[in-house]
Amino acid sequence: MRALLSLAIGSFGIGMTEFVMMGLLPDIAQDLLPDLWARSQEQAIGQSGVLVSMYALGVVIGAPTIAGAVARYPRHRVMLGLAVALALFNALVVVLPGFGLVGMARLLAGLPHGAYFGIGALVAADVLGPGRRAQGVAFILTGLTIANVVGVPVGTYLGQQWGWRTAFLAVTLVFALGAVCIALFVPAHEGDPGRTMRSELGVFRSSQVWLTLGVGAIGFGGFFAVYSYIAPLVTEVAGAPQWAVPVTLVLVGVGMTIGNLAGGHFADRDLRATLHFGLAGLAAALVLLALLAWSFAALVVLALIVGALSAMISPAIQTRLMDVAGDNQSIAAALNHSALNIGNSLGAFLGGVAISLGLGFTAPEWVGAGLALLGLGITVIAYRAERRTLQASAAV
């Protein structure tokens, strides 16, 4: 248990570094883009969303390349190296000046993200055994969801009070602690010496892998279209004070924690139904949020629901990828986070475009609902294609 908790510290840090940016976008925009901020706060906030997309791009690039490259090595050593890299790259966000350099640091900080979760999920799944794989995945993801309950609101508060870079200093310290705990408590866990980058990349020959990645990249993007711009939604649309932003983030994190654990449980029982329910429910909740965001009471309730439904999808997608990937488990487990962070980048980008076009701070909710429905459509297509393949094989 100490080993899994040690890994969860790292996932807690990843949750902080990925999501604390959302609550601090106005502060970051004012600091790094002062001229644009003076002309148009909406455009400055929309452009600052690029920093969210840069991190997500790092995850997309790093997840398959790092996971494929290290599949042969002992997993406990790989996890330690990834934790150290996460600490160093987040330290760059603290010290580098200027919007462009901070964006590059965010790209670097995203590189180890997918491999950390993917390889950590394999360790957890092995510990819990067959029939509980999704719950093992959910256990590692729990650190990320708890970060949204505790770490992100605390980091947002620190950033609002003492400058946004303070939040990333706290993130760096979390990763340093995680690295120490991994070194002390994670036992030897061998990799697969026979795996090569070439063999791992064979996973991309499967159409079902591509469809599952599409579910994560598009469907989960609906959540990020909204979450990336949660701060102006709270303060500008609902008219709540700035301190209400961390409160809202806490409720989103509570919802994500509940949804993650529930998603792991239900995905082990009925994976397809979990995906269908999560995506359809997410679309409906985002439409309600767009219509009712002017009421802070309704906003916080719906924020909790949106967090729960989005987090329910994540362990289901990762388990689905492991099901359709065959022997390429290391890269498949990491690819989930590539897909989710394509969704992060896509959602943040499209939400920012909608705001920059003058459509208002509720526009990302409509964008998010559309993305969730597209993800549901891809899920339906994937399962129908799988059923036809199985029927054809049975006929032969």
Side-chain angles (χ1 to χ4, degrees):
M1 181 58 71
R2 288 189 302 178
L4 296 182
L5 289 174
S6 298
L7 297 176
I9 292 173
S11 66
F12 179 91
I14 288 176
M16 281 192 71
T17 194
E18 182 172 16
F19 296 122
V20 77
M21 180 71 70
M22 283 68 161
L24 293 172
L25 272 185
D27 304 82
I28 294 169
Q30 188 174 8
D31 179 43
L32 296 181
L33 299 170
D35 294 338
L36 183 58
W37 178 268
R39 294 195 302 270
S40 172
Q41 294 185 13
E42 285 192 0
Q43 289 187 13
I45 292 172
Q47 185 169 327
S48 294
V50 171
L51 297 177
V52 178
S53 300
M54 290 297 287
Y55 181 89
L57 179 62
V59 180
V60 173
I61 295 170
T65 54
I66 295 176
V70 302
R72 68 177 70 182
Y73 299 112
R75 289 172 179 161
H76 62 292
R77 293 180 183 172
V78 170
M79 296 303 293
L80 176 59
L82 293 172
V84 170
L86 285 161
L88 292 176
F89 292 148
N90 277 277
L92 292 179
V93 179
V94 179
V95 300
L96 288 179
F99 187 84
L101 289 175
V102 170
M104 185 57 63
R106 288 289 289 170
L107 175 75
L108 292 173
L111 292 176
H113 174 129
Y116 186 98
F117 273 121
I119 296 171
L122 292 177
V123 174
D126 287 345
V127 170
L128 293 181
R132 299 180 66 192
R133 291 180 308 143
Q135 293 177 62
V137 171
F139 185 93
I140 296 299
L141 290 172
T142 297
L144 185 150
T145 59
I146 291 176
N148 283 275
V149 180
V150 180
V152 173
V154 169
T156 301
Y157 176 79
L158 290 173
Q160 289 174 344
Q161 297 300 314
W162 293 286
W164 64 269
R165 293 180 192 270
T166 309
F168 289 93
L169 176 59
V171 168
T172 301
L173 295 175
V174 169
F175 283 127
L177 174 62
V180 171
C181 290
I182 289 170
L184 292 175
F185 301 124
V186 174
H189 197 287
E190 294 303 315
D192 187 348
R195 303 306 299 176
T196 65
M197 172 67 84
R198 183 176 180 179
S199 60
E200 287 288 315
L201 291 177
V203 73
F204 290 110
R205 289 194 291 267
S206 168
S207 61
Q208 284 294 327
V209 167
W210 282 106
L211 287 169
T212 307
L213 291 174
V215 175
I218 296 175
F220 205 74
F223 169 71
F224 284 107
V226 175
Y227 196 43
S228 299
Y229 305 98
I230 194 74
L233 188 71
V234 171
T235 58
E236 302 299 325
V237 179
Q242 194 176 46
W243 60 258
V245 176
V247 172
T248 306
L249 293 174
V250 168
L251 291 174
V252 174
V254 169
M256 292 181 73
T257 302
I258 295 170
N260 176 58
L261 296 174
H265 174 76
F266 289 119
D268 279 330
R269 292 175 175 268
D270 192 330
L271 184 58
R272 180 171 59 179
T274 302
L275 285 170
H276 287 173
F277 175 80
L279 289 164
L282 179 60
L286 290 176
V287 169
L288 288 175
L289 183 57
L291 296 173
L292 301 174
W294 57 269
S295 166
F296 181 65
L299 188 154
V300 294
V301 171
L302 287 167
L304 186 148
I305 294 171
V306 167
L309 291 169
S310 63
M312 179 182 291
I313 300 167
S314 183
I317 294 174
Q318 183 148 344
T319 304
R320 174 69 177 167
L321 275 171
M322 293 164 71
D323 285 343
V324 300
D327 295 331
N328 307 301
Q329 293 293 294
S330 292
I331 197 168
L335 279 172
N336 179 45
H337 298 279
S338 282
L340 298 186
N341 279 273
I342 291 174
N344 185 336
S345 182
L346 180 66
F349 172 74
L350 293 178
V353 168
I355 293 172
S356 297
L357 289 174
L359 300 178
F361 289 118
T362 60
E365 280 68 37
W366 295 104
V367 172
L371 291 173
L373 288 176
L374 285 173
L376 177 61
I378 296 171
T379 305
V380 172
I381 291 170
Y383 276 103
R384 285 182 178 176
E386 184 178 62
R387 184 170 63 250
R388 287 196 298 268
T389 300
L390 292 174
Q391 289 173 347
S393 299
V396 173

